[in-house]
Structure formats: C-alpha cells, structure tokens
Amino acid sequence: MGELAAVFMRAGLEIRPLVEAILRDPSFAAAVYARPRYPVEWVTAAFAVFGIDDVVKAFELMTALGQAPFYPPNVAGWPPGNRWITPGAVVARAGLAVEAPVLEEIAGAHDPVTAVFRRASIYDPTPRTHTAATDLAFELRREPQRAAAALLALAITAPEFTLA
C-alpha cells in the first residue's frame, strides 16, 4: 500500500489528513509553479479576476490562445510545454485588463496593489512582482483607472498567476 493510502486508512478515510499529507509532501512543493497554465485554466482564472462572465468570449479567447475546448489536436490532447506563454500571448492577455468590470473596485481601493493581488489570489508574491506592482501604482497614482488596468495586467501576467 502506498504512503498516502496508509495515511488515508489510518485516518479512518477522513479527507482532511490525506489532503494535509499531500500538501506537506516535498514533491508537492516541487510541483508548484512548475508549468504554465493551459489557456483553459488561465482564461477561467483570469475571467474570475476581471469579473467577466461571458462564455462565448472565454471560448473565443481560449481558441485564440491555442486551446479550443473540446477540440484537441489529437487523441493525446494538447501538447505540454511553454508554447502557451509566448510574448504575443502575454501581450494579448494583458490587453484584457483595460475592459475588466472590476476596474472601479481596484481604482477605488485604499491599497490597489493589495486589492489586485487578493483578487488574483496571489497571496505570496515574489519580491520582484511586489516591487513591480508597488512601483507601478506609485508611478500612476494620479490616474487611478489607468493604474488599476496596469496592475490587473501585471497580476495576470505575473509568474505567480501564469504558472500552475
């Protein structure tokens, strides 16, 4: 019996100890931020960040980014790798921020950087990402709408968001 199966059995089939064992395992930490999010994953998460609820637009964007839902290139599915994060794709992704319904929320926040990170579920940004965001917010402090769009674009293109 595997180690995780033993944990599960010892816990009387309780889920919580099993999930804790998975999350505490060193192999789990090594897998975090190990690959780019596929377009389907990225679009779903980004639309939640932006407050966009448009399935047609989501499907079109996923397709434009190279992963049409339910239409893989072959029976093996979509190929893994870094092809999902080309410079052109990153620019296209960042461009979505200018029309995000949550711009007012971010622009009106007491701390727009914290608001953007919270909205994007980036709970532990790297020092580099945090510095870039705070510098950007400071630079655009007199233009809250523009700062909000720029911060959203930065968050959804940051490694903490782009990588799974």
Side-chain angles (χ1 to χ4, degrees):
M1 177 173 3
E3 186 179 322
L4 291 175
V7 167
F8 194 43
M9 294 300 290
R10 280 194 309 271
L13 305 182
E14 289 290 324
I15 299 294
R16 183 181 182 131
L18 174 63
V19 172
E20 286 175 353
I22 291 169
L23 296 176
R24 294 178 197 282
D25 191 275
S27 63
F28 182 82
V32 175
Y33 301 138
R35 67 164 179 84
R37 285 186 182 189
Y38 291 115
V40 169
E41 296 171 296
W42 186 87
V43 169
T44 302
F47 274 34
V49 171
F50 294 147
I52 298 173
D53 186 20
D54 184 338
V55 294
V56 172
K57 187 173 187 167
F59 183 86
E60 289 171 352
L61 181 57
M62 291 173 198
T63 302
L65 291 173
Q67 191 180 25
F70 310 111
Y71 297 101
N74 57 51
V75 295
W78 290 275
N82 293 335
R83 67 187 223 125
W84 309 113
I85 54 173
T86 63
V90 172
V91 171
R93 292 172 180 198
L96 291 171
V98 298
E99 59 187 62
V102 299
L103 285 175
E104 290 293 327
E105 173 189 322
I106 302 302
H110 174 68
D111 180 358
V113 172
T114 299
V116 159
F117 285 153
R118 184 177 308 122
R119 184 117 192 128
S121 300
I122 299 174
Y123 301 111
D124 191 20
T126 62
R128 191 173 195 172
T129 298
H130 193 271
T131 298
T134 54
D135 289 353
L136 185 59
F138 180 77
E139 191 67 32
L140 296 173
R141 67 191 176 281
R142 290 185 177 85
E143 301 174 72
Q145 287 291 115
R146 197 166 155 220
L151 287 168
L152 278 169
L154 184 143
I156 56 100
T157 59
E160 299 89 338
F161 190 84
T162 304
L163 301 175

PDB file of all heavy atoms in Angstrom, residues 11-44:
ATOM      1  N   ALA A  11      -6.405   7.357   9.037  1.00  0.00           N
ATOM      2  CA  ALA A  11      -7.302   8.452   9.408  1.00  0.00           C
ATOM      3  C   ALA A  11      -8.770   8.038   9.327  1.00  0.00           C
ATOM      4  O   ALA A  11      -9.652   8.886   9.450  1.00  0.00           O
ATOM      5  CB  ALA A  11      -7.051   9.649   8.510  1.00  0.00           C
ATOM      6  N   GLY A  12      -9.012   6.751   9.119  1.00  0.00           N
ATOM      7  CA  GLY A  12     -10.401   6.290   9.042  1.00  0.00           C
ATOM      8  C   GLY A  12     -11.124   6.840   7.832  1.00  0.00           C
ATOM      9  O   GLY A  12     -12.319   7.139   7.907  1.00  0.00           O
ATOM     10  N   LEU A  13     -10.413   7.001   6.734  1.00  0.00           N
ATOM     11  CA  LEU A  13     -10.942   7.505   5.468  1.00  0.00           C
ATOM     12  C   LEU A  13     -11.380   8.970   5.540  1.00  0.00           C
ATOM     13  O   LEU A  13     -12.208   9.425   4.741  1.00  0.00           O
ATOM     14  CB  LEU A  13     -12.073   6.625   4.941  1.00  0.00           C
ATOM     15  CG  LEU A  13     -11.749   5.140   4.762  1.00  0.00           C
ATOM     16  CD1 LEU A  13     -12.944   4.405   4.193  1.00  0.00           C
ATOM     17  CD2 LEU A  13     -10.527   4.942   3.871  1.00  0.00           C
ATOM     18  N   GLU A  14     -10.802   9.701   6.490  1.00  0.00           N
ATOM     19  CA  GLU A  14     -11.068  11.135   6.582  1.00  0.00           C
ATOM     20  C   GLU A  14     -10.241  11.848   5.522  1.00  0.00           C
ATOM     21  O   GLU A  14      -9.056  11.561   5.346  1.00  0.00           O
ATOM     22  CB  GLU A  14     -10.706  11.669   7.975  1.00  0.00           C
ATOM     23  CG  GLU A  14     -11.647  11.229   9.071  1.00  0.00           C
ATOM     24  CD  GLU A  14     -13.021  11.879   8.940  1.00  0.00           C
ATOM     25  OE1 GLU A  14     -13.096  13.057   8.532  1.00  0.00           O
ATOM     26  OE2 GLU A  14     -14.005  11.199   9.253  1.00  0.00           O
ATOM     27  N   ILE A  15     -10.838  12.793   4.854  1.00  0.00           N
ATOM     28  CA  ILE A  15     -10.183  13.503   3.754  1.00  0.00           C
ATOM     29  C   ILE A  15      -9.123  14.495   4.251  1.00  0.00           C
ATOM     30  O   ILE A  15      -8.050  14.603   3.667  1.00  0.00           O
ATOM     31  CB  ILE A  15     -11.224  14.249   2.894  1.00  0.00           C
ATOM     32  CG1 ILE A  15     -12.209  13.273   2.270  1.00  0.00           C
ATOM     33  CG2 ILE A  15     -10.557  15.116   1.832  1.00  0.00           C
ATOM     34  CD1 ILE A  15     -11.594  12.337   1.251  1.00  0.00           C
ATOM     35  N   ARG A  16      -9.418  15.209   5.306  1.00  0.00           N
ATOM     36  CA  ARG A  16      -8.507  16.263   5.763  1.00  0.00           C
ATOM     37  C   ARG A  16      -7.075  15.770   6.001  1.00  0.00           C
ATOM     38  O   ARG A  16      -6.123  16.381   5.512  1.00  0.00           O
ATOM     39  CB  ARG A  16      -9.066  16.953   7.000  1.00  0.00           C
ATOM     40  CG  ARG A  16      -8.196  18.098   7.448  1.00  0.00           C
ATOM     41  CD  ARG A  16      -8.737  18.773   8.688  1.00  0.00           C
ATOM     42  NE  ARG A  16      -7.897  19.881   9.027  1.00  0.00           N
ATOM     43  CZ  ARG A  16      -8.332  21.082   9.291  1.00  0.00           C
ATOM     44  NH1 ARG A  16      -9.621  21.332   9.259  1.00  0.00           N
ATOM     45  NH2 ARG A  16      -7.499  22.042   9.596  1.00  0.00           N
ATOM     46  N   PRO A  17      -6.849  14.686   6.753  1.00  0.00           N
ATOM     47  CA  PRO A  17      -5.469  14.218   6.945  1.00  0.00           C
ATOM     48  C   PRO A  17      -4.793  13.826   5.631  1.00  0.00           C
ATOM     49  O   PRO A  17      -3.587  14.044   5.460  1.00  0.00           O
ATOM     50  CB  PRO A  17      -5.620  13.003   7.863  1.00  0.00           C
ATOM     51  CG  PRO A  17      -6.911  13.208   8.558  1.00  0.00           C
ATOM     52  CD  PRO A  17      -7.787  13.927   7.579  1.00  0.00           C
ATOM     53  N   LEU A  18      -5.558  13.292   4.704  1.00  0.00           N
ATOM     54  CA  LEU A  18      -4.998  12.933   3.407  1.00  0.00           C
ATOM     55  C   LEU A  18      -4.550  14.184   2.658  1.00  0.00           C
ATOM     56  O   LEU A  18      -3.430  14.237   2.137  1.00  0.00           O
ATOM     57  CB  LEU A  18      -6.018  12.154   2.577  1.00  0.00           C
ATOM     58  CG  LEU A  18      -5.606  11.836   1.142  1.00  0.00           C
ATOM     59  CD1 LEU A  18      -4.382  10.920   1.123  1.00  0.00           C
ATOM     60  CD2 LEU A  18      -6.764  11.199   0.393  1.00  0.00           C
ATOM     61  N   VAL A  19      -5.402  15.197   2.616  1.00  0.00           N
ATOM     62  CA  VAL A  19      -5.054  16.441   1.925  1.00  0.00           C
ATOM     63  C   VAL A  19      -3.858  17.106   2.600  1.00  0.00           C
ATOM     64  O   VAL A  19      -2.942  17.594   1.929  1.00  0.00           O
ATOM     65  CB  VAL A  19      -6.269  17.396   1.848  1.00  0.00           C
ATOM     66  CG1 VAL A  19      -5.863  18.761   1.317  1.00  0.00           C
ATOM     67  CG2 VAL A  19      -7.368  16.796   0.989  1.00  0.00           C
ATOM     68  N   GLU A  20      -3.830  17.105   3.931  1.00  0.00           N
ATOM     69  CA  GLU A  20      -2.679  17.674   4.647  1.00  0.00           C
ATOM     70  C   GLU A  20      -1.391  16.932   4.286  1.00  0.00           C
ATOM     71  O   GLU A  20      -0.356  17.562   4.068  1.00  0.00           O
ATOM     72  CB  GLU A  20      -2.917  17.632   6.156  1.00  0.00           C
ATOM     73  CG  GLU A  20      -3.918  18.654   6.630  1.00  0.00           C
ATOM     74  CD  GLU A  20      -4.237  18.537   8.117  1.00  0.00           C
ATOM     75  OE1 GLU A  20      -3.778  17.572   8.775  1.00  0.00           O
ATOM     76  OE2 GLU A  20      -4.946  19.429   8.621  1.00  0.00           O
ATOM     77  N   ALA A  21      -1.457  15.617   4.210  1.00  0.00           N
ATOM     78  CA  ALA A  21      -0.269  14.828   3.845  1.00  0.00           C
ATOM     79  C   ALA A  21       0.187  15.155   2.432  1.00  0.00           C
ATOM     80  O   ALA A  21       1.395  15.267   2.167  1.00  0.00           O
ATOM     81  CB  ALA A  21      -0.561  13.338   3.988  1.00  0.00           C
ATOM     82  N   ILE A  22      -0.753  15.336   1.524  1.00  0.00           N
ATOM     83  CA  ILE A  22      -0.409  15.685   0.139  1.00  0.00           C
ATOM     84  C   ILE A  22       0.265  17.056   0.100  1.00  0.00           C
ATOM     85  O   ILE A  22       1.311  17.231  -0.527  1.00  0.00           O
ATOM     86  CB  ILE A  22      -1.661  15.667  -0.758  1.00  0.00           C
ATOM     87  CG1 ILE A  22      -2.171  14.233  -0.927  1.00  0.00           C
ATOM     88  CG2 ILE A  22      -1.368  16.305  -2.121  1.00  0.00           C
ATOM     89  CD1 ILE A  22      -3.541  14.136  -1.579  1.00  0.00           C
ATOM     90  N   LEU A  23      -0.335  18.024   0.785  1.00  0.00           N
ATOM     91  CA  LEU A  23       0.198  19.384   0.750  1.00  0.00           C
ATOM     92  C   LEU A  23       1.544  19.520   1.461  1.00  0.00           C
ATOM     93  O   LEU A  23       2.348  20.381   1.114  1.00  0.00           O
ATOM     94  CB  LEU A  23      -0.812  20.365   1.350  1.00  0.00           C
ATOM     95  CG  LEU A  23      -2.123  20.507   0.586  1.00  0.00           C
ATOM     96  CD1 LEU A  23      -3.078  21.431   1.326  1.00  0.00           C
ATOM     97  CD2 LEU A  23      -1.893  20.989  -0.830  1.00  0.00           C
ATOM     98  N   ARG A  24       1.802  18.676   2.437  1.00  0.00           N
ATOM     99  CA  ARG A  24       3.070  18.737   3.183  1.00  0.00           C
ATOM    100  C   ARG A  24       4.177  17.910   2.528  1.00  0.00           C
ATOM    101  O   ARG A  24       5.340  18.030   2.900  1.00  0.00           O
ATOM    102  CB  ARG A  24       2.861  18.281   4.613  1.00  0.00           C
ATOM    103  CG  ARG A  24       1.976  19.222   5.411  1.00  0.00           C
ATOM    104  CD  ARG A  24       1.771  18.695   6.828  1.00  0.00           C
ATOM    105  NE  ARG A  24       0.653  19.315   7.479  1.00  0.00           N
ATOM    106  CZ  ARG A  24       0.644  20.523   8.017  1.00  0.00           C
ATOM    107  NH1 ARG A  24       1.707  21.262   7.953  1.00  0.00           N
ATOM    108  NH2 ARG A  24      -0.432  20.993   8.602  1.00  0.00           N
ATOM    109  N   ASP A  25       3.830  17.093   1.567  1.00  0.00           N
ATOM    110  CA  ASP A  25       4.819  16.250   0.916  1.00  0.00           C
ATOM    111  C   ASP A  25       5.789  17.112   0.098  1.00  0.00           C
ATOM    112  O   ASP A  25       5.360  18.022  -0.605  1.00  0.00           O
ATOM    113  CB  ASP A  25       4.117  15.240  -0.008  1.00  0.00           C
ATOM    114  CG  ASP A  25       5.066  14.180  -0.500  1.00  0.00           C
ATOM    115  OD1 ASP A  25       5.744  14.436  -1.516  1.00  0.00           O
ATOM    116  OD2 ASP A  25       5.124  13.115   0.136  1.00  0.00           O
ATOM    117  N   PRO A  26       7.104  16.848   0.193  1.00  0.00           N
ATOM    118  CA  PRO A  26       8.083  17.650  -0.562  1.00  0.00           C
ATOM    119  C   PRO A  26       7.847  17.641  -2.078  1.00  0.00           C
ATOM    120  O   PRO A  26       8.136  18.628  -2.754  1.00  0.00           O
ATOM    121  CB  PRO A  26       9.424  16.995  -0.234  1.00  0.00           C
ATOM    122  CG  PRO A  26       9.200  16.242   1.036  1.00  0.00           C
ATOM    123  CD  PRO A  26       7.746  15.857   1.048  1.00  0.00           C
ATOM    124  N   SER A  27       7.290  16.580  -2.604  1.00  0.00           N
ATOM    125  CA  SER A  27       7.050  16.541  -4.045  1.00  0.00           C
ATOM    126  C   SER A  27       5.951  17.527  -4.457  1.00  0.00           C
ATOM    127  O   SER A  27       5.936  17.996  -5.591  1.00  0.00           O
ATOM    128  CB  SER A  27       6.699  15.127  -4.501  1.00  0.00           C
ATOM    129  OG  SER A  27       5.495  14.700  -3.899  1.00  0.00           O
ATOM    130  N   PHE A  28       5.052  17.855  -3.531  1.00  0.00           N
ATOM    131  CA  PHE A  28       4.014  18.840  -3.847  1.00  0.00           C
ATOM    132  C   PHE A  28       4.639  20.215  -4.028  1.00  0.00           C
ATOM    133  O   PHE A  28       4.353  20.914  -4.999  1.00  0.00           O
ATOM    134  CB  PHE A  28       2.946  18.885  -2.751  1.00  0.00           C
ATOM    135  CG  PHE A  28       1.827  19.841  -3.054  1.00  0.00           C
ATOM    136  CD1 PHE A  28       0.787  19.470  -3.881  1.00  0.00           C
ATOM    137  CD2 PHE A  28       1.827  21.123  -2.521  1.00  0.00           C
ATOM    138  CE1 PHE A  28      -0.241  20.356  -4.183  1.00  0.00           C
ATOM    139  CE2 PHE A  28       0.805  22.015  -2.819  1.00  0.00           C
ATOM    140  CZ  PHE A  28      -0.232  21.630  -3.649  1.00  0.00           C
ATOM    141  N   ALA A  29       5.513  20.608  -3.107  1.00  0.00           N
ATOM    142  CA  ALA A  29       6.170  21.915  -3.202  1.00  0.00           C
ATOM    143  C   ALA A  29       6.980  22.023  -4.487  1.00  0.00           C
ATOM    144  O   ALA A  29       7.041  23.088  -5.107  1.00  0.00           O
ATOM    145  CB  ALA A  29       7.060  22.149  -1.990  1.00  0.00           C
ATOM    146  N   ALA A  30       7.584  20.936  -4.901  1.00  0.00           N
ATOM    147  CA  ALA A  30       8.392  20.952  -6.132  1.00  0.00           C
ATOM    148  C   ALA A  30       7.518  21.110  -7.374  1.00  0.00           C
ATOM    149  O   ALA A  30       7.997  21.557  -8.418  1.00  0.00           O
ATOM    150  CB  ALA A  30       9.210  19.670  -6.230  1.00  0.00           C
ATOM    151  N   ALA A  31       6.246  20.760  -7.267  1.00  0.00           N
ATOM    152  CA  ALA A  31       5.356  20.830  -8.427  1.00  0.00           C
ATOM    153  C   ALA A  31       4.676  22.191  -8.582  1.00  0.00           C
ATOM    154  O   ALA A  31       4.114  22.490  -9.629  1.00  0.00           O
ATOM    155  CB  ALA A  31       4.292  19.742  -8.322  1.00  0.00           C
ATOM    156  N   VAL A  32       4.735  23.037  -7.552  1.00  0.00           N
ATOM    157  CA  VAL A  32       4.093  24.346  -7.606  1.00  0.00           C
ATOM    158  C   VAL A  32       4.886  25.255  -8.545  1.00  0.00           C
ATOM    159  O   VAL A  32       6.109  25.322  -8.475  1.00  0.00           O
ATOM    160  CB  VAL A  32       3.989  24.956  -6.197  1.00  0.00           C
ATOM    161  CG1 VAL A  32       3.435  26.370  -6.251  1.00  0.00           C
ATOM    162  CG2 VAL A  32       3.111  24.083  -5.317  1.00  0.00           C
ATOM    163  N   TYR A  33       4.178  25.954  -9.417  1.00  0.00           N
ATOM    164  CA  TYR A  33       4.767  26.847 -10.422  1.00  0.00           C
ATOM    165  C   TYR A  33       5.733  26.107 -11.342  1.00  0.00           C
ATOM    166  O   TYR A  33       6.717  26.670 -11.816  1.00  0.00           O
ATOM    167  CB  TYR A  33       5.485  28.030  -9.771  1.00  0.00           C
ATOM    168  CG  TYR A  33       4.619  28.898  -8.891  1.00  0.00           C
ATOM    169  CD1 TYR A  33       5.080  29.380  -7.683  1.00  0.00           C
ATOM    170  CD2 TYR A  33       3.321  29.229  -9.266  1.00  0.00           C
ATOM    171  CE1 TYR A  33       4.296  30.185  -6.873  1.00  0.00           C
ATOM    172  CE2 TYR A  33       2.526  30.022  -8.462  1.00  0.00           C
ATOM    173  CZ  TYR A  33       3.023  30.500  -7.270  1.00  0.00           C
ATOM    174  OH  TYR A  33       2.237  31.292  -6.474  1.00  0.00           O
ATOM    175  N   ALA A  34       5.442  24.857 -11.617  1.00  0.00           N
ATOM    176  CA  ALA A  34       6.339  24.034 -12.435  1.00  0.00           C
ATOM    177  C   ALA A  34       5.980  24.047 -13.919  1.00  0.00           C
ATOM    178  O   ALA A  34       6.777  23.622 -14.738  1.00  0.00           O
ATOM    179  CB  ALA A  34       6.334  22.599 -11.916  1.00  0.00           C
ATOM    180  N   ARG A  35       4.791  24.531 -14.267  1.00  0.00           N
ATOM    181  CA  ARG A  35       4.390  24.545 -15.671  1.00  0.00           C
ATOM    182  C   ARG A  35       3.445  25.716 -15.907  1.00  0.00           C
ATOM    183  O   ARG A  35       2.780  26.191 -14.999  1.00  0.00           O
ATOM    184  CB  ARG A  35       3.695  23.243 -16.054  1.00  0.00           C
ATOM    185  CG  ARG A  35       2.348  23.057 -15.376  1.00  0.00           C
ATOM    186  CD  ARG A  35       1.503  21.982 -16.041  1.00  0.00           C
ATOM    187  NE  ARG A  35       0.242  21.815 -15.354  1.00  0.00           N
ATOM    188  CZ  ARG A  35      -0.841  22.568 -15.572  1.00  0.00           C
ATOM    189  NH1 ARG A  35      -0.816  23.532 -16.455  1.00  0.00           N
ATOM    190  NH2 ARG A  35      -1.950  22.355 -14.904  1.00  0.00           N
ATOM    191  N   PRO A  36       3.394  26.177 -17.155  1.00  0.00           N
ATOM    192  CA  PRO A  36       2.450  27.247 -17.469  1.00  0.00           C
ATOM    193  C   PRO A  36       1.016  26.726 -17.405  1.00  0.00           C
ATOM    194  O   PRO A  36       0.761  25.565 -17.701  1.00  0.00           O
ATOM    195  CB  PRO A  36       2.789  27.637 -18.911  1.00  0.00           C
ATOM    196  CG  PRO A  36       3.992  26.881 -19.292  1.00  0.00           C
ATOM    197  CD  PRO A  36       4.220  25.808 -18.282  1.00  0.00           C
ATOM    198  N   ARG A  37       0.107  27.592 -16.996  1.00  0.00           N
ATOM    199  CA  ARG A  37      -1.306  27.219 -17.055  1.00  0.00           C
ATOM    200  C   ARG A  37      -1.697  27.079 -18.522  1.00  0.00           C
ATOM    201  O   ARG A  37      -1.301  27.886 -19.357  1.00  0.00           O
ATOM    202  CB  ARG A  37      -2.184  28.312 -16.447  1.00  0.00           C
ATOM    203  CG  ARG A  37      -2.164  28.381 -14.960  1.00  0.00           C
ATOM    204  CD  ARG A  37      -3.183  29.412 -14.489  1.00  0.00           C
ATOM    205  NE  ARG A  37      -3.149  29.527 -13.040  1.00  0.00           N
ATOM    206  CZ  ARG A  37      -4.026  30.204 -12.332  1.00  0.00           C
ATOM    207  NH1 ARG A  37      -5.010  30.851 -12.931  1.00  0.00           N
ATOM    208  NH2 ARG A  37      -3.943  30.246 -11.027  1.00  0.00           N
ATOM    209  N   TYR A  38      -2.478  26.065 -18.808  1.00  0.00           N
ATOM    210  CA  TYR A  38      -3.019  25.920 -20.148  1.00  0.00           C
ATOM    211  C   TYR A  38      -4.021  27.058 -20.372  1.00  0.00           C
ATOM    212  O   TYR A  38      -4.582  27.596 -19.414  1.00  0.00           O
ATOM    213  CB  TYR A  38      -3.721  24.572 -20.305  1.00  0.00           C
ATOM    214  CG  TYR A  38      -2.773  23.393 -20.286  1.00  0.00           C
ATOM    215  CD1 TYR A  38      -2.831  22.456 -19.267  1.00  0.00           C
ATOM    216  CD2 TYR A  38      -1.824  23.230 -21.285  1.00  0.00           C
ATOM    217  CE1 TYR A  38      -1.961  21.379 -19.242  1.00  0.00           C
ATOM    218  CE2 TYR A  38      -0.950  22.161 -21.274  1.00  0.00           C
ATOM    219  CZ  TYR A  38      -1.019  21.233 -20.250  1.00  0.00           C
ATOM    220  OH  TYR A  38      -0.153  20.175 -20.235  1.00  0.00           O
ATOM    221  N   PRO A  39      -4.288  27.421 -21.627  1.00  0.00           N
ATOM    222  CA  PRO A  39      -5.230  28.507 -21.878  1.00  0.00           C
ATOM    223  C   PRO A  39      -6.588  28.335 -21.186  1.00  0.00           C
ATOM    224  O   PRO A  39      -7.142  29.310 -20.675  1.00  0.00           O
ATOM    225  CB  PRO A  39      -5.368  28.506 -23.406  1.00  0.00           C
ATOM    226  CG  PRO A  39      -4.018  28.079 -23.864  1.00  0.00           C
ATOM    227  CD  PRO A  39      -3.620  27.004 -22.872  1.00  0.00           C
ATOM    228  N   VAL A  40      -7.111  27.129 -21.160  1.00  0.00           N
ATOM    229  CA  VAL A  40      -8.401  26.920 -20.495  1.00  0.00           C
ATOM    230  C   VAL A  40      -8.297  27.280 -19.012  1.00  0.00           C
ATOM    231  O   VAL A  40      -9.168  27.966 -18.470  1.00  0.00           O
ATOM    232  CB  VAL A  40      -8.900  25.467 -20.691  1.00  0.00           C
ATOM    233  CG1 VAL A  40     -10.086  25.174 -19.798  1.00  0.00           C
ATOM    234  CG2 VAL A  40      -9.264  25.230 -22.148  1.00  0.00           C
ATOM    235  N   GLU A  41      -7.228  26.867 -18.367  1.00  0.00           N
ATOM    236  CA  GLU A  41      -7.022  27.194 -16.954  1.00  0.00           C
ATOM    237  C   GLU A  41      -6.824  28.699 -16.768  1.00  0.00           C
ATOM    238  O   GLU A  41      -7.400  29.300 -15.858  1.00  0.00           O
ATOM    239  CB  GLU A  41      -5.780  26.490 -16.408  1.00  0.00           C
ATOM    240  CG  GLU A  41      -5.843  24.989 -16.385  1.00  0.00           C
ATOM    241  CD  GLU A  41      -4.503  24.380 -16.035  1.00  0.00           C
ATOM    242  OE1 GLU A  41      -3.538  24.549 -16.796  1.00  0.00           O
ATOM    243  OE2 GLU A  41      -4.423  23.743 -14.966  1.00  0.00           O
ATOM    244  N   TRP A  42      -5.986  29.267 -17.622  1.00  0.00           N
ATOM    245  CA  TRP A  42      -5.655  30.683 -17.475  1.00  0.00           C
ATOM    246  C   TRP A  42      -6.881  31.563 -17.716  1.00  0.00           C
ATOM    247  O   TRP A  42      -7.152  32.481 -16.938  1.00  0.00           O
ATOM    248  CB  TRP A  42      -4.526  31.073 -18.433  1.00  0.00           C
ATOM    249  CG  TRP A  42      -4.095  32.476 -18.177  1.00  0.00           C
ATOM    250  CD1 TRP A  42      -3.169  32.913 -17.282  1.00  0.00           C
ATOM    251  CD2 TRP A  42      -4.641  33.650 -18.795  1.00  0.00           C
ATOM    252  NE1 TRP A  42      -3.093  34.279 -17.312  1.00  0.00           N
ATOM    253  CE2 TRP A  42      -3.988  34.756 -18.238  1.00  0.00           C
ATOM    254  CE3 TRP A  42      -5.603  33.855 -19.775  1.00  0.00           C
ATOM    255  CZ2 TRP A  42      -4.271  36.063 -18.613  1.00  0.00           C
ATOM    256  CZ3 TRP A  42      -5.894  35.162 -20.147  1.00  0.00           C
ATOM    257  CH2 TRP A  42      -5.229  36.246 -19.569  1.00  0.00           C
ATOM    258  N   VAL A  43      -7.613  31.302 -18.791  1.00  0.00           N
ATOM    259  CA  VAL A  43      -8.790  32.128 -19.115  1.00  0.00           C
ATOM    260  C   VAL A  43      -9.833  32.024 -18.008  1.00  0.00           C
ATOM    261  O   VAL A  43     -10.412  33.034 -17.595  1.00  0.00           O
ATOM    262  CB  VAL A  43      -9.385  31.751 -20.492  1.00  0.00           C
ATOM    263  CG1 VAL A  43     -10.732  32.406 -20.716  1.00  0.00           C
ATOM    264  CG2 VAL A  43      -8.409  32.135 -21.606  1.00  0.00           C
ATOM    265  N   THR A  44     -10.066  30.825 -17.518  1.00  0.00           N
ATOM    266  CA  THR A  44     -11.043  30.653 -16.436  1.00  0.00           C
ATOM    267  C   THR A  44     -10.648  31.474 -15.213  1.00  0.00           C
ATOM    268  O   THR A  44     -11.476  32.200 -14.645  1.00  0.00           O
ATOM    269  CB  THR A  44     -11.163  29.161 -16.068  1.00  0.00           C
ATOM    270  OG1 THR A  44     -11.542  28.431 -17.243  1.00  0.00           O
ATOM    271  CG2 THR A  44     -12.189  28.941 -14.979  1.00  0.00           C
TER     272      THR A  44
END
